[in-house]
Amino acid sequence: MSRFLNQCYQSLEAYTPGEQPRDMRYIKLNTNESPYPPAPSVVEAMTREQVELLRLYSDPTARTLKEKLAKLYDVEPENVFLSNGSDEVLNFAFMAFGGKEAVFPDISYGFYEVYGGLYGIDYEKIPLKADFSVDYRDYCGKGKLVVIANPNAPTGMSIPVWQIEQIVKSNPESVVLIDEAYVDFGGQTALPLIQKYDNLLVTRTFSKSRCLAGGRLGYAFADSRLIADLEKIKFSTNPYNINRLTLRLGEATVDAEDYYREKCREIIRTRNWTAEKLQELGFQVLPSQTNFLFAGTPKMDGMALYLELKNRGILVRHFGNPRIDRFNRITIGTPEQMAAFIDTVKEVLYEKL
Ligand SMILES: *Cc1c(COP(=O)(O)O)cnc(C)c1O
């Protein structure tokens, strides 16, 4: 730290992203990326001409992509916000709607806490229940910015939309942010509720189900007035927040919806297979509605298993939190990758017995 950093940031704890090894030696099951490439039509959209057009700024209103998303999800373009990854819309939401207070689960996406710290927000962390589920009643009538990932990460578990509606309805004076980064893998979306409640913000990403993590593209749905607030923040920080190439790829991605639905079905099939195999090996596997599994075995500490797997060329994600130190988060890869993962887990366990 230099002696110039503003006082308010001196104790800030930044987010720690999952490892991104520079070599490809690993089977990479640690950051919930898709194991599949973007649709062929998306790859073809990246033409020489598109690269040459980089001399021009991107469209700060991102009108074309907004219209395509609005059409796909049956809302108006005024209900859509686009961001540089969904991390950016989370950032903007904490900035715009955090006021003095926020609340989220104790075990959830680590960035919520970071944004809370960044904006000096007094945040409350509510413990998940013993079975790692969210008790929606804990978030009713809080009168603070409520942030819930549904499905949640790293647990993979989700709550039904009627419970989300109770949370939204009981907090009419504050924003309820539902982070649907994983909704395409089997969760229930709260999207229709934006027609009825002006305090609901639903955020999504192209990073997981749409195979575009490196493109950095996120989006959100809400009442047009909430979207206008987010646009105000965006135009006060970085109007060209999404680069030209990513906008173009995003448009091609929305046009290839069928491809991505098929890939999601494939990942769900592989997830169910992997969960079954882990259970046969004695693992506790939380019920997942995402592209990852959260699993642990009484036979071995989560950190130890993470290290043994890493030594054998497989990366999963371990979290330091004592409440979940038995567990690892395992991204679902291709069927071949998951077969190799299961074989390696067996190897590790039998060696240890
Ligand atoms: C991955 C993830 C995000 C962020 O995704 P971006 O790559 O920034 O779009 C947001 N929320 C949750 C819960 C995530 O797991």
Side-chain angles (χ1 to χ4, degrees):
M1 187 164 34
S2 80
R3 60 187 199 282
F4 306 108
L5 185 64
N6 289 344
Q7 175 106 41
C8 60
Y9 299 135
Q10 287 181 8
S11 61
L12 182 65
E13 287 227 34
Y15 181 72
T16 315
E19 299 163 87
Q20 292 291 357
R22 292 163 63 93
D23 53 53
M24 275 299 168
R25 283 184 304 119
Y26 290 99
I27 295 182
K28 199 170 170 305
L29 310 177
N30 69 328
T31 49
N32 296 345
E33 292 140 328
S34 176
Y36 300 111
S41 56
V42 173
V43 176
E44 278 152 27
M46 184 71 349
T47 60
R48 182 186 184 95
E49 191 198 359
Q50 290 299 326
V51 177
E52 285 172 357
L53 281 171
L54 282 177
R55 71 189 177 78
L56 301 175
Y57 282 112
S58 53
D59 171 11
T61 69
R63 189 71 196 177
T64 310
L65 182 52
K66 274 193 180 182
E67 281 169 357
K68 282 184 187 287
L69 280 169
K71 190 152 178 264
L72 180 62
Y73 290 106
D74 201 18
V75 296
E76 297 301 318
E78 290 66 35
N79 300 121
V80 184
F81 184 73
L82 287 164
S83 58
N84 188 320
S86 63
D87 287 339
E88 188 180 56
V89 63
L90 295 175
N91 177 21
F92 288 177
F94 273 83
M95 198 190 301
F97 310 122
K100 291 257 171 296
E101 291 183 283
V103 58
F104 38 83
D106 65 337
I107 297 169
S108 192
Y109 187 39
F111 233 133
Y112 305 151
E113 200 159 356
V114 176
Y115 290 133
L118 181 62
Y119 297 112
I121 295 168
D122 182 13
Y123 56 84
E124 176 189 3
K125 291 195 285 182
I126 298 183
L128 295 179
K129 289 195 284 194
D131 66 356
F132 296 110
S133 63
V134 168
D135 187 338
Y136 76 98
R137 289 165 298 194
D138 291 341
Y139 301 87
C140 288
K142 299 299 283 188
K144 310 174 179 183
L145 171 64
V146 176
V147 183
I148 293 178
N150 193 43
N152 195 14
T155 62
M157 294 166 65
S158 64
I159 58 175
V161 171
W162 72 263
Q163 297 185 357
I164 300 285
E165 181 162 12
Q166 294 309 308
I167 298 171
V168 175
K169 203 196 307 194
S170 66
N171 287 288
E173 299 307 320
S174 61
V175 167
V176 175
L177 189 166
I178 304 299
D179 181 343
E180 295 191 348
Y182 297 103
V183 77
D184 295 328
F185 301 101
Q188 232 185 338
T189 181
L191 175 56
L193 298 178
I194 68 160
Q195 312 293 352
K196 210 164 144 194
Y197 300 97
D198 66 358
N199 62 324
L200 171 64
L201 177 63
V202 175
T203 66
R204 301 265 188 97
T205 178
F206 279 64
S207 294
K208 279 84 186 219
S209 57
R210 287 194 171 99
C211 316
L212 215 59
R216 311 305 302 128
L217 188 56
Y219 58 114
F221 299 113
D223 180 90
S224 60
R225 287 161 294 188
L226 267 194
I227 298 296
D229 294 342
L230 292 169
E231 294 291 353
K232 185 186 238 180
I233 303 278
K234 161 181 148 154
F235 278 85
S236 307
T237 51
N238 185 6
Y240 309 108
N241 62 336
I242 305 164
N243 77 72
R244 214 170 222 292
L245 297 179
T246 293
L247 279 178
R248 181 68 202 97
L249 296 186
E251 291 159 22
T253 297
V254 176
D255 289 340
E257 179 68 7
D258 290 348
Y259 171 90
Y260 295 98
R261 286 197 189 194
E262 175 49 34
K263 291 298 179 249
C264 287
R265 283 194 291 270
E266 177 85 27
I267 285 168
I268 291 168
R269 280 193 292 272
T270 312
R271 177 186 76 204
N272 295 344
W273 179 87
T274 309
E276 216 169 278
K277 293 290 163 194
L278 283 172
Q279 276 158 349
E280 284 169 20
L281 291 170
F283 277 77
Q284 179 190 359
V285 184
L286 300 191
S288 170
Q289 251 117 38
T290 60
N291 67 339
F292 59 83
L293 291 170
F294 200 54
T297 167
K299 292 189 193 126
M300 210 172 166
D301 178 66
M303 184 68 184
L305 178 59
Y306 156 81
L307 287 172
E308 292 288 349
L309 289 172
K310 188 172 176 183
N311 280 335
R312 291 167 172 76
I314 296 183
L315 274 187
V316 297
R317 183 97 193 252
H318 183 72
F319 296 91
N321 184 336
R323 208 184 151 187
I324 49 173
D325 58 11
R326 290 252 132 232
F327 286 80
N328 281 296
R329 192 193 67 190
I330 304 137
T331 304
I332 301 303
T334 62
E336 297 73 32
Q337 288 176 322
M338 299 325 282
F341 164 76
I342 291 292
D343 285 346
T344 310
V345 170
K346 277 185 197 159
E347 203 179 288
V348 171
L349 289 183
Y350 292 142
E351 206 168 274
K352 292 282 141 190
L353 289 181

